[in-house]
Amino acid sequence: MTIAQVIVDVPTMQTDQPFSYLIPEEMLSVIKPGMRVEVPFGKGNRHIQGFVIAVTDEQEQFPQQELKYLIHPLDLAPVLNQELLALADYMKEETYSFKITCLQTMLPSVLKAKYAKQIQLLLPESLPKEWQSFFGSDTVVPYEEAVNVMGVALIQQLRMAGTIDIRYLVKKQNRVQTVKMIYSCVTSENYPMFAQMIRKGAKRKVQLLERLTQFPKRTLQEYLDEGLSRTVINQAAMDGWLRLEAEEVYRDPYAAQTFAKTTPLQLNDEQAAAVQALADANQSQTFLLEGITGSGKTEVYLQAIANVLEHGKTAMMLVPEIALTPQMVERFKGRFGEAVAVLHSGLSQGEKYDEWRKIERNEAQVVVGARSAVFAPLENIGLIVVDEEHESSYKQEETPRYHARDLAIWRSNYHQCPVVLGSATPSLESRARAQKGVYQFLHLTKRGNPDALLPSVEIIDMKQEIVRKETTTFSRILQEKIQDRLNKEEQVVLMLNRRGYSSFVMCRDCGFVLPCPNCDISLTLHMDTKTMRCHYCGHEERIPHHCPSCGSEKIRYYGTGTQKVEEELTQLFPEANVLRMDVDTTRKKGAHERILRAFSEKKASILLGTQMIAKGLDFPDITLVGVLNADTSLNLPDFRASERTFQLLTQVSGRAGRAQKHGEVIIQTFNPEHHAIVLAKQQNYEAFYQEEMQIRHQSDYPPYYFTVKIIASHEQEEPAARKMFQVYREIEHVLSSQAKILGPTPHAIMRIKNRYYYQIIIKYKREPQLANYLTELLERSQMDQRNGLFLSIDKEPLSFI
Ligand code: ADP
Ligand code: ZN
Ligand code: ZN
């Protein structure tokens, strides 16, 4: 008997063991690994979803009566291929999460949501006669009804032939969009015969026949636009003059743009060496490409990808969401045109699905996308690029807490192809691996454009500025330099470092700060909506005019929001046009791109923004970059605070002077002697790496130690705390004396969304028992879930707080 092994989707009872289901006779040819199916489950035979991970032939191992039949497939073709099924296994082990969660995570969101599913008739002409009455005059029927009446095997066949397709009702929008094409069947041989068929005076027929001799393939709409009726066209189809076909069109978000074709640049020696090293790697190998900002890393990727395409292979390039700017897309589409599929969160669900389909059907050979693009169903991969590999957004902050970099390396292993991690400021972990020879080190030390010089960087000690009692936001020097650029009609980028920073309301009489009722954190002031908002749970309330604690009216807001800086800026420089880019101005779809486009078209001379602006901008007229407050991110209670600050300052400095004009950077700080700031001024990553490694070594931090965080949460404080103390006692026996346990402690923000969080952090070097213990701990935690206690495991957490 043939059995489907199914991972079922039961949120309250997750298990990584597949369940066996019999496959009904008529579905034997249909069911394949990687498809989703509906199966009966539990005592009540409730219908639930699951993933088929294998189809096996079993000999009498099961008494047949104990097995249930699966009900029907939810897909007509596998949504995950063999490679991605195997990747799910790896991800599960790496991230300590349940397999079903991993499988779900890999799918495009259109497929995940529970939308109504329908069968859409694309080509009524090729539908077998006996089913024509079933569809009647409709072109859509509900999926389940079609499966029941026609049988899945036939439906699958018709789908492969292009007669029908599945569509999902996403916001009343057709999932698959089609356009009707007319193929001409007219040849010089049959032309006279067709011409004879035309009755005298039938002008439209004459016109149609003429057109058919001119256009072998044309859309139906074009014929209709010329005044030909559907009746005439249908009649002609029956007479054999033409063939009507429905062709799928993709919703292409970039359709309106044209991309000027670009040609490969003449590489400098360092770039050429990097491209060559990648070309020579004919097996799985990880490269670290460290190159200063503007050193032409992107050009290296482009040429390395071109090499791979020439060998008939495909390529994947991951970019942090925020760096996936129109400029970046343009560079790829400009070089590779139609071969490029772009996946990022700015696309609608339908658009994203279309891009995914293009990849699945091998119509796109180059995928450019953010974190989840690592799951793109590309086959025959020849190169994987992870640009800005140090970016924390590559790690998903919810289960499964995967790091796209790790999954990219796994896929390079599967495809036996190189993977290149690129950055101007590599993560210490990656740089250390390159040091040890685990990764092969490639280094670009010069700017790609030989005319572009590194910008000069100046540090302003804001402690001195305060003494002078001038504006607290803009130092005197920065004001002068901005004025100078305005006079010269050059462009200025100003960054307000908002990491770990917010504007809040405080009472001057009693010091009261407005807290969130659900979380242990103060509310943030949002001037655009004139509300106080919680950044964790979204709670929103009005700005108070009196102190809720003492009734005083002296309740003021503190902190420098971008809006406040913008006001100051327009007062200081009334003639300047300022564009602002922060969470408030980029909430709407496409807003981010609009602001960048306006700036590139020089509609403004100053771009003011948060760290969002630090990446991906490549405009020739930016000659001044100002960092208004370098320190806020330094003060975070996090061992990566220096690393993050150094990265941010280097990135933003790299925006200046990328072309002929010389660039200048002004960094305002209260900590002018801090090594992250001094070395960012020197733009000396290597020196920063050395110094920071010593600090990490002294305090036993990564990359000298591996880390894992275990978190328990509950609506009450006590059960969460109790659980973590229990884990602590167990884990003491599991670990060797070399490991260090921090905690149990409450999370820095103990209560979030009315749940209390407790955690333990383990620092370790080699603990062979640990992985098994954690897997078992997770399995056991399912019992606790019924009592509202949730446990999660975060391997290599981004922060300790
Ligand atoms: P990165 O990705 O390292 O920041 P880019 O690839 O964006 O650098 O290159 C920075 C600038 O230098 C771009 O304008 C690019 O066109 C230019 N550039 C890169 N390589 C070369 C080269 N070999 N010759 C001339 N210009 C180059
Ligand atoms: Zn008060
Ligand atoms: Zn809250």
Side-chain angles (χ1 to χ4, degrees):
M1 54 188 154
T2 312
I3 283 176
Q5 309 283 357
V6 180
I7 295 281
V8 293
D9 192 1
V10 189
T12 50
M13 202 220 71
Q14 281 159 327
T15 168
D16 291 326
Q17 291 311 310
F19 286 81
S20 297
Y21 285 93
L22 289 164
I23 303 177
E25 187 68 32
E26 72 275 16
M27 298 181 196
L28 280 177
S29 64
V30 175
I31 302 293
K32 306 228 158 55
M35 272 185 184
R36 292 168 307 169
V37 288
E38 207 165 276
V39 294
F41 191 77
K43 288 206 184 75
N45 279 336
R46 200 155 50 93
H47 289 193
I48 59 165
Q49 275 198 28
F51 274 87
V52 178
I53 55 160
V55 176
T56 53
D57 261 318
E58 308 277 343
Q59 302 299 328
E60 295 134 60
Q61 259 145 322
F62 304 89
Q64 190 152 351
Q65 61 272 26
E66 278 187 15
L67 288 184
K68 296 170 188 169
Y69 278 97
L70 64 81
I71 298 162
H72 63 177
L74 294 166
D75 304 299
L76 296 176
V79 287
L80 294 176
N81 62 26
Q82 288 291 351
E83 182 200 355
L84 294 175
L85 287 175
L87 179 59
D89 283 332
Y90 170 75
M91 184 156 72
K92 171 187 121 58
E93 301 217 327
E94 270 297 296
T95 63
Y96 299 103
S97 40
F98 293 107
K99 186 150 173 187
I100 187 72
T101 322
C102 296
L103 293 168
Q104 296 283 18
T105 300
M106 296 174 143
L107 294 182
S109 47
V110 172
L111 293 178
K112 269 180 279 189
K114 293 192 167 107
Y115 298 112
K117 232 175 359 173
Q118 299 180 323
I119 295 283
Q120 180 172 30
L121 186 56
L122 298 178
L123 296 174
E125 297 81 10
S126 44
L127 186 70
K129 282 246 157 37
E130 63 268 38
W131 297 111
Q132 277 173 3
S133 63
F134 174 59
F135 278 88
S137 56
D138 286 341
T139 52
V140 288
V141 292
Y143 175 81
E144 306 216 342
E145 200 180 320
V147 167
N148 287 338
V149 176
M150 301 170 71
V152 282
L154 176 64
I155 289 182
Q156 194 186 40
Q157 246 173 36
L158 291 174
R159 181 178 183 258
M160 301 241 276
T163 310
I164 59 170
D165 205 347
I166 299 187
R167 67 173 207 179
Y168 295 73
L169 293 181
V170 186
K171 288 186 198 138
K172 305 251 183 300
Q173 190 183 32
N174 286 3
R175 197 194 53 155
V176 173
Q177 292 195 333
T178 59
V179 58
K180 288 248 166 79
M181 299 300 300
I182 289 184
Y183 285 86
S184 170
C185 302
V186 179
T187 62
S188 49
E189 284 87 55
N190 63 22
Y191 177 86
M193 182 179 80
F194 290 159
Q196 273 187 349
M197 288 160 81
I198 303 173
R199 276 185 287 121
K200 262 223 166 56
K203 275 197 301 209
R204 291 301 187 196
K205 288 253 161 140
V206 176
Q207 181 191 346
L208 177 59
L209 190 59
E210 281 318 301
R211 287 286 178 266
L212 288 170
T213 59
Q214 291 163 14
F215 301 104
K217 175 184 173 182
R218 204 182 184 208
T219 65
L220 170 65
Q221 194 56 46
E222 283 170 297
Y223 284 93
L224 297 176
D225 288 347
E226 288 180 352
L228 290 161
S229 69
R230 282 176 196 271
T231 327
V232 170
I233 289 167
N234 286 342
Q235 184 62 48
M238 303 227 289
D239 292 340
W241 295 18
L242 56 87
R243 207 154 36 81
L244 256 171
E245 277 190 25
E247 278 182 14
E248 186 172 331
V249 288
Y250 298 118
R251 278 153 290 203
D252 181 355
Y254 301 100
Q257 282 163 266
T258 49
F259 296 95
K261 189 99 191 97
T262 65
T263 44
L265 299 171
Q266 179 70 43
L267 299 179
N268 65 34
D269 294 350
E270 291 174 341
Q271 287 175 311
V275 170
Q276 192 58 46
L278 294 172
D280 291 344
N282 46 14
Q283 53 177 357
S284 160
Q285 193 172 3
T286 307
F287 291 85
L288 177 65
L289 176 63
E290 177 185 322
I292 58 168
T293 52
S295 58
K297 294 186 288 296
T298 312
E299 188 62 32
V300 168
Y301 306 146
L302 289 168
Q303 299 202 16
I305 290 172
N307 275 340
V308 159
L309 297 185
E310 249 172 57
H311 287 86
K313 295 191 173 181
T314 66
M316 178 160 85
M317 156 114 166
L318 303 181
V319 184
E321 186 70 54
I322 203 78
L324 198 45
T325 57
Q327 268 190 332
M328 183 63 98
V329 172
E330 207 173 302
R331 289 178 80 175
F332 276 78
K333 292 233 175 192
R335 194 67 59 88
F336 303 117
E338 291 285 294
V340 180
V342 181
L343 295 168
H344 70 94
S345 66
L347 303 181
S348 72
Q349 294 210 335
E351 287 168 346
K352 240 186 270 175
Y353 181 68
D354 286 348
E355 295 292 290
W356 190 82
R357 291 258 285 182
K358 246 160 74 178
I359 303 164
E360 194 202 10
R361 296 178 160 195
N362 299 325
E363 288 165 11
Q365 287 77 45
V366 181
V367 173
V368 180
R371 181 177 64 217
S372 62
V374 76
F375 303 119
L378 266 183
E379 285 170 16
N380 198 14
I381 301 178
L383 178 68
I384 303 177
V385 178
V386 183
D387 193 26
E388 314 259 20
E389 66 90 32
H390 62 277
E391 266 298 309
S392 53
S393 65
Y394 280 126
K395 174 140 188 224
Q396 177 155 294
E397 281 283 54
E398 54 195 67
T399 40
R401 297 169 196 265
Y402 69 90
H403 200 300
R405 185 175 56 201
D406 299 336
L407 302 191
I409 292 174
W410 184 93
R411 291 195 75 176
S412 86
N413 254 309
Y414 186 93
H415 291 273
Q416 285 298 301
C417 73
V419 52
V420 51
L421 315 177
S423 177
T425 54
S427 64
L428 261 64
E429 286 83 351
S430 294
R431 182 63 187 82
R433 273 177 207 147
Q435 189 82 33
K436 284 176 137 185
V438 181
Y439 298 166
Q440 190 173 328
F441 192 49
L442 303 171
H443 205 175
L444 307 182
T445 60
K446 303 189 278 274
R447 282 212 153 174
N449 178 347
D451 297 332
L453 298 168
L454 276 178
S456 47
V457 186
E458 197 174 334
I459 296 176
I460 308 294
D461 184 354
M462 291 304 272
K463 293 193 295 267
Q464 306 296 321
E465 289 288 321
I466 294 289
V467 174
R468 286 203 200 89
K469 286 215 177 357
E470 297 185 9
T471 161
T472 52
T473 315
F474 297 96
S475 62
R476 195 176 31 83
I477 294 180
L478 183 55
Q479 286 181 52
E480 283 168 15
K481 301 229 185 254
I482 294 174
Q483 189 60 59
D484 172 63
R485 300 309 137 96
L486 293 177
N487 297 343
K488 292 198 232 157
E489 298 193 352
E490 292 172 355
Q491 288 184 301
V492 179
V493 167
L494 297 174
M495 185 183 77
L496 185 69
N497 187 354
R498 305 259 313 169
R499 196 162 245 157
Y501 196 82
S502 62
S503 327
F504 55 98
V505 165
M506 187 170 92
C507 170
R508 287 223 178 165
D509 281 340
C510 75
F512 180 82
V513 174
L514 201 63
C516 172
N518 311 318
C519 313
D520 287 340
I521 191 174
S522 52
L523 295 176
T524 302
L525 180 74
H526 283 256
M527 281 311 279
D528 60 335
T529 49
K530 303 261 185 318
T531 54
M532 305 295 300
R533 211 178 288 157
C534 171
H535 283 191
Y536 281 87
C537 73
H539 169 84
E540 208 171 307
E541 58 185 78
R542 292 227 307 274
I543 301 171
H545 297 293
H546 301 276
C547 169
S549 175
C550 74
S552 160
E553 284 178 22
K554 285 196 192 149
I555 187 156
R556 301 279 148 76
Y557 68 81
Y558 285 80
T560 325
T562 33
Q563 272 166 321
K564 194 158 159 258
V565 174
E566 187 183 11
E567 279 165 28
E568 261 186 78
L569 208 51
T570 38
Q571 265 166 23
L572 287 169
F573 309 103
E575 75 278 23
N577 273 326
V578 179
L579 278 169
R580 180 162 66 93
M581 191 152 99
D582 56 24
V583 280
D584 287 333
T585 62
T586 53
R587 209 166 285 142
K588 286 209 192 80
K589 189 187 166 197
H592 185 235
E593 308 190 345
R594 264 197 302 283
I595 295 172
L596 291 182
R597 194 169 322 118
F599 195 59
S600 77
E601 288 165 359
K602 302 197 79 172
K603 297 212 170 101
S605 40
I606 302 178
L607 176 64
L608 165 70
T610 56
Q611 48 271 19
M612 251 180 222
I613 60 170
K615 295 193 184 69
L617 297 186
D618 188 8
F619 302 134
D621 284 316
I622 302 175
T623 57
L624 177 64
V625 167
V627 179
L628 301 179
N629 54 342
D631 309 301
T632 48
S633 53
L634 269 185
N635 301 331
L636 285 176
D638 178 357
F639 74 92
R640 285 198 181 88
S642 302
E643 186 181 357
R644 298 265 181 260
T645 305
F646 180 84
Q647 286 163 350
L648 186 59
L649 294 178
T650 308
Q651 293 287 339
V652 72
S653 303
R655 300 311 115 208
R658 291 175 72 86
Q660 272 77 2
K661 293 178 187 156
H662 182 63
E664 267 186 287
V665 180
I666 300 287
I667 297 177
Q668 303 189 150
T669 174
F670 287 95
N671 298 290
E673 287 92 33
H674 193 286
H675 71 287
I677 301 212
V678 174
L679 294 171
K681 170 186 154 73
Q682 296 170 12
Q683 293 167 71
N684 192 340
Y685 170 81
E686 287 293 310
F688 175 79
Y689 164 70
Q690 300 293 350
E691 188 154 349
E692 186 65 19
M693 282 295 273
Q694 278 185 5
I695 296 171
R696 300 285 179 91
H697 186 62
Q698 279 155 15
S699 31
D700 297 336
Y701 280 132
Y704 291 97
Y705 277 79
F706 296 114
T707 56
V708 63
K709 179 154 85 175
I710 309 170
I711 312 143
S713 78
H714 195 272
E715 282 178 359
Q716 277 144 26
E717 188 179 348
E718 205 259 323
R722 191 154 24 101
K723 178 75 188 179
M724 284 331 283
F725 278 98
Q726 181 205 329
V727 170
Y728 180 85
R729 284 190 300 273
E730 287 174 8
I731 212 160
E732 266 188 319
H733 300 296
V734 172
L735 296 176
S736 75
S737 59
Q738 207 185 26
K740 298 176 197 313
I741 308 175
L742 312 180
T745 49
H747 185 266
I749 302 157
M750 185 164 68
R751 189 177 52 124
I752 300 168
K753 296 187 201 177
N754 282 323
R755 295 186 71 83
Y756 289 84
Y757 287 81
Y758 269 77
Q759 65 183 36
I760 283 178
I761 288 164
I762 304 163
K763 299 198 282 188
Y764 65 98
K765 284 189 188 237
R766 189 177 292 110
E767 296 295 334
Q769 308 293 325
L770 184 59
N772 278 342
Y773 169 74
L774 292 175
T775 307
E776 184 214 306
L777 179 66
L778 191 74
E779 290 284 339
R780 273 193 281 139
S781 74
Q782 291 188 57
M783 305 297 283
D784 296 326
Q785 277 186 25
R786 293 180 198 142
N787 304 321
L789 183 82
F790 285 92
L791 187 115
S792 69
I793 297 169
D794 188 357
K795 197 168 160 182
E796 298 304 322
L798 290 176
S799 88
F800 278 9
I801 55 171

